[in-house]
Amino acid sequence: QVQLVESGGGLVQPGESLRLSCAASGSIFTINYMGWYRQAPGKQRELVATVAKGGGTNYADSVKGRFTISRDNAKNTVYLQMNSLKPEDTAVYYCNAYLWPLGTDYRSDYWGQGTQVTVSS
């Protein structure tokens, strides 16, 4: 069974920082992409950032220059360093992995349960 577990969310004031972590566990052959998405109340889930196995990254325009995604392939873990947080960053943040489980001949998306990030004064 493949699982993604997030940690690091919480309540912070504007301008402060948080670091999110997500670890994938289970019988996994390879993880092609890992990333973070977020969903605010009343809005659709949107891309925040992704990182490929080879290190290539992709960011939403709204977080460029403030957020940094990184990946530890040996630990099957992805991180999101969030600096200069704004109230509009408030959302549930979901970890995502596009991976190939052992014992299968196809790749598929897996999602974590989500972690709440609230930015408020």
Side-chain angles (χ1 to χ4, degrees), residues 60-107:
D61 288 341
S62 60
V63 306
K64 287 181 179 178
R66 298 189 297 120
F67 292 9
T68 302
I69 190 169
S70 60
R71 174 175 174 173
D72 186 334
N73 290 330
K75 297 180 179 179
N76 285 337
T77 299
V78 64
Y79 307 93
L80 186 68
Q81 179 67 45
M82 304 185 293
N83 298 327
S84 301
L85 283 162
K86 304 175 180 179
E88 50 263 44
D89 295 317
T90 296
V92 177
Y93 284 69
Y94 295 92
C95 178
N96 168 260
Y98 183 64
L99 57 84
W100 187 353
L102 286 173
T104 72
D105 58 359
Y106 59 90
R107 298 170 174 83

Side-chain angles (χ1 to χ4, degrees), residues 8-116:
L11 172 64
V12 298
Q13 296 183 353
E16 295 184 342
S17 299
L18 281 174
R19 191 190 193 206
L20 305 183
S21 300
C22 174
S25 63
S27 299
I28 301 169
F29 177 69
T30 190
I31 303 177
N32 296 98
Y33 295 89
M34 298 189 78
W36 293 93
Y37 293 71
R38 67 187 182 187
Q39 187 168 21
K43 295 185 177 181
Q44 296 188 61
R45 189 175 301 184
E46 64 176 354
L47 169 73
V48 177
T50 62
V51 57
K53 185 177 181 179
T57 58
N58 185 33
Y59 294 92
D61 288 341
S62 60
V63 306
K64 287 181 179 178
R66 298 189 297 120
F67 292 9
T68 302
I69 190 169
S70 60
R71 174 175 174 173
D72 186 334
N73 290 330
K75 297 180 179 179
N76 285 337
T77 299
V78 64
Y79 307 93
L80 186 68
Q81 179 67 45
M82 304 185 293
N83 298 327
S84 301
L85 283 162
K86 304 175 180 179
E88 50 263 44
D89 295 317
T90 296
V92 177
Y93 284 69
Y94 295 92
C95 178
N96 168 260
Y98 183 64
L99 57 84
W100 187 353
L102 286 173
T104 72
D105 58 359
Y106 59 90
R107 298 170 174 83
S108 60
D109 273 317
Y110 289 82
W111 295 90
Q113 293 294 111
T115 184
Q116 178 70 49

